[in-house]
Amino acid sequence: MTAPNKPITVPDFHAARGVRKLAVVTAYDFTSAVIADAAGVDAILVGDSLGMVVQGHGTSLPVSMAEMLYHLRCVRRGTKRALIVADLPFLSYQVSPRQAVKNAGKMLKAGAHAVKLEGGERMADAIAACVRADIPVMGHIGLTPQSVHRMGGFKVQRDAEELLADAKAVQAAGAFSLVVEGVPTELGAKVTSAVNIPTIGIGAGPHCDGQVLVWHDLLGLYDGLRPKFVKRYAELGALATDAVAKYCDEVRTGVFPAAEHGFK
Ligand code: KIV
């Protein structure tokens, strides 16, 4: 079942659970937001994964609030229909619930409909504070990339007890949906049946209520990490390299520009 052809709100997204699967993709700029929106995604996540796939860092940790706000504004201008969720970057919400509300509020002022933050039980107070301020929150548990050093790498998370406690804490704090990343399929299913908010999986198996993929992974534009859970729906990186190589060749041989590319 496709997404409705009207702007998708937080209540619409929440109500889709059990009715249809939710398709979410990340985007970081105007053009990709236009494409994702036209393709019919339910939500665009302006993810702090941009630290890796746009900025070229090895993790998302260096990304700042100012950078997130810049990319969010670009996406906002390209989106007519999809729900826009903006990631709170590392250290923009962990210090205190007050800090979380202040920074989440900046995201809404810049055009996001909701924010996403990483962490379960430990972040419940920050989630609840945002929700009290009428800022919709998407939780994120399991493999949380901002915890890369605690986890000792981007590793599949297998502690069922901890994962279930985290999922329940995020729901109890008032989140409207929950990203579940990098957990065995069976655990993705268990979390999905333990809560009544939509779960959005990434490397969490097919039983989640929806899926999210990073733009550059889905389109074959990024080779920095190639996790098993990624399906590449196109090889745009290879296509782009061929196109640019052809351009170089035509410039050097004088084929481009041709007469039709000039002004009379
Ligand atoms: O930053 C991001 O893109 C994310 C998704 C991978 C869920 O958090």
Side-chain angles (χ1 to χ4, degrees), residues 31 34 38 44-45 76 86 88 93 107 111 132 135 139 155 158 162 180 184 195 197 258:
T31 302
V34 170
I44 293 177
L45 170 67
R76 171 72 274 178
L88 286 171
Y93 60 94
M107 297 298 199
R132 267 197 304 277
I135 300 170
K155 294 186 177 158
R158 301 177 185 279
E162 184 180 318
V180 184
V195 294
I197 53 176

Coordinates of all heavy atoms in Angstrom, one line a residue, residues 31 34 38 44-45 76 86 88 93 107 111 132 135 139 155 158 162 180 184 195 197 258:
T31 N 17.8 18.6 -3.6 CA 17.5 17.8 -4.7 C 17.1 16.4 -4.3 O 16.2 15.8 -4.8 CB 18.7 17.7 -5.7 OG1 19.0 19.1 -6.1 CG2 18.5 16.9 -6.9
V34 N 13.6 16.5 -3.0 CA 12.6 16.5 -4.0 C 12.4 15.1 -4.6 O 11.3 14.6 -4.8 CB 13.1 17.5 -5.2 CG1 12.2 17.3 -6.4 CG2 13.1 18.9 -4.7
A38 N 9.0 12.9 -4.2 CA 8.2 12.5 -5.4 C 8.1 11.0 -5.4 O 7.1 10.5 -6.0 CB 8.9 13.0 -6.6
I44 N 11.2 11.6 5.6 CA 12.6 11.9 5.3 C 13.3 12.1 6.6 O 12.8 13.0 7.4 CB 12.7 13.1 4.4 CG1 12.1 12.8 3.0 CG2 14.2 13.5 4.2 CD1 12.2 14.0 2.0
L45 N 14.3 11.4 6.8 CA 15.1 11.6 8.0 C 16.4 12.4 7.6 O 17.2 11.9 6.8 CB 15.5 10.3 8.6 CG 16.6 10.3 9.8 CD1 16.0 11.0 11.0 CD2 17.1 9.0 10.1
R76 N 14.0 20.9 3.8 CA 12.6 21.5 4.0 C 12.2 22.1 2.7 O 11.0 22.0 2.3 CB 12.8 22.5 5.2 CG 11.6 23.5 5.4 CD 10.5 22.8 6.1 NE 9.6 22.3 5.1 CZ 8.5 21.6 5.4 NH1 8.1 21.4 6.6 NH2 7.7 21.1 4.4
A86 N 14.3 15.3 12.0 CA 15.7 15.8 12.1 C 16.4 15.1 13.3 O 15.9 15.1 14.4 CB 15.7 17.3 12.2
L88 N 18.9 14.8 16.2 CA 19.7 15.6 17.2 C 21.1 15.1 17.2 O 21.3 13.9 17.5 CB 19.1 15.6 18.6 CG 17.8 16.5 18.7 CD1 17.1 16.2 20.0 CD2 18.1 18.0 18.5
Y93 N 21.8 16.9 23.1 CA 20.7 16.5 24.0 C 21.1 15.7 25.2 O 20.3 15.6 26.2 CB 19.6 15.8 23.2 CG 20.1 14.5 22.6 CD1 19.9 13.3 23.2 CD2 20.8 14.4 21.4 CE1 20.4 12.1 22.7 CE2 21.2 13.3 20.8 CZ 21.0 12.1 21.5 OH 21.5 10.9 21.0
M107 N 15.2 22.7 15.8 CA 14.9 21.9 14.7 C 13.5 22.2 14.1 O 13.3 22.3 12.9 CB 15.0 20.4 15.0 CG 16.4 19.9 15.4 SD 17.6 20.2 14.1 CE 18.9 19.1 14.6
G111 N 12.0 23.9 10.5 CA 11.1 23.2 9.5 C 10.9 21.7 9.7 O 10.2 21.1 9.0
R132 N 6.7 17.0 26.3 CA 6.0 18.0 27.1 C 5.9 19.4 26.4 O 5.0 20.2 26.6 CB 6.6 18.2 28.5 CG 6.0 17.3 29.6 CD 6.3 17.7 31.0 NE 7.7 17.8 31.2 CZ 8.5 16.8 31.5 NH1 8.0 15.6 31.7 NH2 9.8 17.0 31.7
I135 N 7.1 18.7 21.2 CA 8.0 18.4 20.1 C 7.9 16.9 19.9 O 8.4 16.1 20.8 CB 9.4 18.8 20.5 CG1 9.5 20.3 20.7 CG2 10.4 18.4 19.4 CD1 10.8 20.9 21.3
G139 N 12.3 7.8 18.8 CA 13.4 7.2 19.5 C 14.3 6.4 18.6 O 14.0 6.2 17.4
K155 N 28.4 -2.5 16.0 CA 28.2 -3.9 16.2 C 26.8 -4.2 16.4 O 26.0 -3.5 17.1 CB 29.0 -4.4 17.4 CG 30.5 -4.3 17.2 CD 31.2 -4.9 18.4 CE 32.7 -4.9 18.1 NZ 33.5 -4.9 19.3
R158 N 22.7 -7.5 20.9 CA 22.0 -8.7 21.1 C 21.4 -8.9 22.4 O 20.9 -9.9 22.8 CB 22.9 -9.9 20.8 CG 23.5 -9.9 19.4 CD 24.5 -11.1 19.3 NE 25.1 -11.0 17.9 CZ 24.6 -11.4 16.8 NH1 23.4 -12.0 16.9 NH2 25.2 -11.2 15.7
E162 N 17.9 -5.7 27.7 CA 18.2 -4.3 27.6 C 17.3 -3.6 26.5 O 16.8 -2.5 26.6 CB 19.7 -4.1 27.3 CG 20.1 -2.6 27.3 CD 21.6 -2.4 27.1 OE1 22.4 -3.2 27.6 OE2 21.9 -1.6 26.3
V180 N 14.8 1.0 15.3 CA 15.5 -0.1 15.9 C 16.6 -0.5 14.9 O 16.3 -0.9 13.8 CB 14.5 -1.3 16.1 CG1 15.2 -2.4 16.8 CG2 13.3 -0.8 16.9
P184 N 19.3 -8.6 15.9 CA 18.9 -9.8 15.1 C 17.4 -9.7 14.8 O 16.6 -9.1 15.5 CB 19.1 -10.9 16.1 CG 20.2 -10.4 17.1 CD 19.9 -8.9 17.1
V195 N 5.8 -3.0 21.8 CA 5.3 -1.6 21.9 C 4.1 -1.4 21.0 O 3.8 -2.3 20.2 CB 6.5 -0.7 21.5 CG1 7.6 -0.7 22.5 CG2 6.9 -1.0 20.1
I197 N 3.9 1.7 19.3 CA 4.3 2.8 18.4 C 5.0 2.1 17.2 O 5.6 1.0 17.4 CB 5.2 3.8 19.1 CG1 6.4 3.2 19.8 CG2 4.4 4.7 20.1 CD1 7.4 4.2 20.4
A258 N 29.6 21.3 -28.1 CA 29.3 21.3 -29.5 C 28.6 22.6 -29.8 O 28.2 23.4 -29.0 CB 28.4 20.1 -29.8

